[in-house]
Amino acid sequence: MLTLHKAAAALPKPSRSRMCEFLRSFGFDPGKLFLHKLILGIETSCDDTAAAVVDESGKVWGEAIHSQTEVHLNFFISSRTGGIVPPVAQQLHRENIQRIVKEALSTSKISPSELSAIATTVKPGLALSLGVGLSFSLRLVDQLKIPFIPIHHMEAHALTIRLLNKVEFPFLVLLISGGHCLLALVRGVSDFLLLGKSLDIAPGDMLDKVARRLSLIKHPECSTMSGGKAIEHLAKQGNKLHFDIKPPMQRAKNCDFSFTGLQHVTDRIITQKEKEEGIQKGQILSSAAHIAAAVQHTTACHIAKRTHRAILFCKQRDLLPQSNAVLVASGGVASNFYIRKALEIVTNATQCTLLCPPPRLCTDNGIMIAWNGIERLRAGVGVLYNTEGIRYEPKCPLGVDISEEVGEAAIKVPRLKMEI
Ligand code: KG4
Ligand code: ZN
């Protein structure tokens, strides 16, 4: 044996690139030989049907997404109800899921038999939407005889950054989207401490409502944008100081958020301006850009202040390193550059580093679900070889809630100049 090993060691090893070339000459993709595990991620928790194939190194082999935004936007105009219409979302997921998964696999040039596992969002989200992704995935894992990894949508948002950057635990995460608003400390793949959350609606929901009230869908520059994006776009043309909108919860020394008050104040301003300008509800106000700028500024200040307190709390309790701690901001609203700049002011003042996934990974996608599957597979947590009794959960908190303790600490946050 010893001699054999010695003999083998004496032979020159073919280089990896020459081996790749050799394999390619047979029409074989050598990437597949060197990768370890491939996971298909499936996301249907809200209004996007998304799928992606990701490997252990974080390489994205292929992805596909079908966004329902436009359909729901058109539905809002006719129904005037606003928000996502669950049965419509369910029907669209049903119509698209097979095509989207097929597309993700075919762009990956991966055959289903090469997959190591399937990871799918099972919580939290719209019951009707989650059900479509779950039943499709369970049929697939059953056929392929591979493990299933149930995914928490918010955990997936929180860990997406680790696909791109080498971020070690613990780090702080701020998740701000259309359905969620929370601050959490991430201590491990499935170890989260919830520091604060919105007591009413999420910031994206508020921005969507304001955008709808301003009828931005009729604005020639914003007609295809989500509410939040339309507000960001229009705010660039407005003066944030034109209207004085105070940030909410100034006296509550915790890390919770609130956005309904902000929505109502803005609503009153719009009604007042409609009277002044003598225009009907549904027409575009001449001061729409100023309103957008003011509401975006107050939203940014509110989010920045609560995040600042969370950083101070974590440092006070030695939950985060004193210097070079990482704050990750993700979710659809975190793709807003004005809000990112407000957060940067906070991280600069507290010697932290702000990291934000690129906008396409901030919004819902299949990559983050597949990546969370990889994280779980690596850590050996939540990988199911038997899917009996697995259910989706429309409501599911993130981690252990210590928000009361954060409030009891009543940390005073130093005032920062928000010059953005
Ligand atoms: O994460 P996401 O795609 O879906 C969930 O809510 O889970 O976030 C969508 C939300 C919407 O409310 C949308 O208006 C908001 O994110 N959003 C933005 C921006 N882009 C999307 N809000 C502010 N500024 C943006 N640029
Ligand atoms: Zn999301």
Side-chain angles (χ1 to χ4, degrees):
M1 278 304 272
L2 196 67
T3 13
L4 262 178
H5 271 282
K6 270 189 180 164
L11 286 171
K13 271 196 200 162
S15 75
R16 192 166 160 147
S17 60
R18 276 178 58 193
M19 177 59 96
C20 289
E21 226 170 87
F22 171 74
L23 290 168
R24 273 201 200 97
S25 68
F26 290 97
F28 185 85
D29 181 352
K32 291 182 186 174
L33 182 76
F34 297 117
L35 66 86
H36 306 287
K37 299 220 159 76
L38 282 164
I39 289 196
L40 168 69
I42 300 177
E43 158 66 31
T44 65
S45 69
C46 194
D47 59 346
D48 291 311
T49 316
V53 177
V54 177
D55 75 20
E56 270 180 313
S57 73
K59 177 179 167 185
V60 178
W61 285 69
E63 69 165 316
I65 187 158
H66 173 264
S67 169
Q68 304 177 359
T69 311
E70 223 163 293
V71 178
H72 290 285
L73 277 175
N74 290 333
F75 199 90
F76 302 155
I77 299 168
S78 54
S79 71
R80 290 182 173 271
T81 51
I84 290 156
V85 191
V88 175
Q90 181 189 41
Q91 184 55 28
L92 290 169
H93 283 308
R94 280 190 182 141
E95 284 170 15
N96 289 290
I97 191 158
Q98 188 159 356
R99 175 179 66 83
I100 288 297
V101 169
K102 252 192 175 165
E103 211 175 297
L105 287 168
S106 62
T107 49
S108 308
K109 299 193 171 56
I110 297 285
S111 94
S113 62
E114 290 172 277
L115 293 170
S116 297
I118 294 176
T120 303
T121 309
V122 300
K123 60 193 171 184
L126 297 172
L128 294 178
S129 297
L130 288 168
V132 178
L134 180 59
S135 51
F136 182 89
S137 305
L138 292 183
R139 278 200 306 275
L140 206 53
V141 289
D142 194 48
Q143 269 172 24
L144 298 171
K145 307 267 174 289
I146 54 175
F148 179 61
I149 311 176
I151 303 293
H152 189 299
H153 181 85
M154 303 314 287
E155 289 184 6
H157 269 306
L159 296 194
T160 305
I161 196 71
R162 282 163 50 89
L163 174 124
L164 310 154
N165 299 58
K166 214 175 145 13
V167 181
E168 304 289 347
F169 300 119
F171 62 89
L172 194 65
V173 70
L174 167 72
L175 296 176
I176 38 178
S177 69
H180 300 278
C181 177
L182 56 88
L183 269 163
L185 185 72
V186 189
R187 302 196 296 184
V189 171
S190 70
D191 183 1
F192 292 77
L193 290 182
L194 185 65
L195 305 166
K197 60 190 175 308
S198 175
L199 303 178
D200 37 60
I201 59 172
D205 192 7
M206 182 271 294
L207 293 172
D208 289 342
K209 284 179 169 131
V210 170
R212 229 171 7 251
R213 181 69 184 81
L214 285 169
S215 303
L216 297 189
I217 194 151
K218 292 187 192 157
H219 194 291
E221 292 167 25
C222 309
S223 60
T224 57
M225 294 177 185
S226 68
K229 182 125 190 81
I231 296 276
E232 180 177 24
H233 178 79
L234 214 60
K236 288 184 193 137
Q237 303 159 25
N239 175 5
K240 67 183 178 212
L241 303 174
H242 199 91
F243 295 101
D244 182 25
I245 307 177
K246 296 258 174 305
M249 298 181 76
Q250 302 227 59
R251 290 210 192 120
K253 290 193 174 52
N254 55 30
C255 291
D256 289 333
F257 303 81
S258 169
F259 294 97
T260 3
L262 200 49
Q263 185 211 326
H264 291 147
V265 170
T266 315
D267 205 63
R268 275 201 296 275
I269 293 175
I270 298 172
T271 308
Q272 172 73 23
K273 280 283 141 194
E274 281 169 347
K275 267 193 207 151
E276 280 175 29
E277 292 186 20
I279 64 164
Q280 295 291 311
K281 202 172 178 175
Q283 287 178 279
I284 311 237
L285 280 170
S286 67
S287 49
H290 296 322
I291 296 173
V295 78
Q296 177 178 256
H297 178 68
T298 309
T299 304
C301 291
H302 179 48
I303 291 172
K305 180 102 179 234
R306 316 320 273 185
T307 308
H308 194 168
R309 181 170 286 117
I311 294 173
L312 297 179
F313 174 85
C314 289
K315 287 198 179 184
Q316 193 189 73
R317 302 284 161 110
D318 269 332
L319 293 167
L320 274 178
Q322 294 305 320
S323 60
N324 293 325
V326 170
L327 166 68
V328 173
S330 194
V333 179
S335 57
N336 180 298
F337 287 99
Y338 191 91
I339 294 172
R340 283 190 187 190
K341 279 189 193 149
L343 291 170
E344 232 164 53
I345 293 174
V346 171
T347 49
N348 288 342
T350 50
Q351 292 84 50
C352 293
T353 305
L354 174 67
L355 295 177
C356 305
R360 79 183 178 99
L361 290 180
C362 270
T363 50
D364 291 353
N365 62 82
I367 297 172
M368 70 180 197
I369 306 304
W371 175 249
N372 206 251
I374 295 279
E375 291 264 25
R376 288 186 161 270
L377 199 67
R378 273 201 207 141
V381 284
V383 182
L384 306 182
Y385 294 86
N386 179 351
T387 55
E388 223 170 279
I390 178 95
R391 302 266 181 277
Y392 58 80
E393 295 170 56
K395 283 199 186 328
C396 183
L398 177 73
V400 178
D401 188 347
I402 62 157
S403 54
E404 262 188 41
E405 202 182 319
V406 176
E408 280 159 16
I411 293 174
K412 203 166 168 347
V413 176
R415 195 177 275 272
L416 296 178
K417 264 211 163 131
M418 285 294 162
E419 277 170 2
I420 304 168

